């Protein structure tokens, strides 16, 4: 569950910061709920692929950042 502070400020976060929150939530769900299937939509990757295109420097940078 998101804290009240995180929930209140979530809309003000950058796409990469939101991705971090989603990633933390996904890790928590994996560790505590042990889902058999989980989808995670990373906003920064999606935004940069739409803006720059796939297989571009921006697209690769977004994927590289997500992989870290």
């Amino acid at each position: 569950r998101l804290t009240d502070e995180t929930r209140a400020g979530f809309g003000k976060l950058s796409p990469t910061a939101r991705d971090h929150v989603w990633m933390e939530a996904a890790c928590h769900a994996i560790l505590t709920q042990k889902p058999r299937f989980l989808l995670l939509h990373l906003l920064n990757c999606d935004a940069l692929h739409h803006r720059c295109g796939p297989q571009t420097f921006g697209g690769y940078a977004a994927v590289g950042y997500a992989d870290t």
Side-chain angles (χ1 to χ4, degrees), residues 3-44:
T3 65
D4 289 340
E5 285 180 12
T6 302
R7 191 176 307 124
F10 187 77
K12 298 175 186 174
L13 298 175
S14 69
T16 52
R18 288 185 218 170
D19 282 353
H20 184 75
V21 173
W22 288 128
M23 183 270 310
E24 289 289 335
C27 288
H28 177 76
I30 290 167
L31 293 172
T32 61
Q33 304 298 315
K34 310 259 190 269
R36 292 173 45 194
F37 184 73
L38 183 127
L39 295 174
L40 178 62
H41 183 100
L42 297 174
L43 302 172
N44 190 50

Side-chain angles (χ1 to χ4, degrees), residues 50-63:
H50 280 290
R51 187 178 315 138
C52 302
Q55 299 180 357
T56 62
F57 179 77
Y60 287 133
V63 171

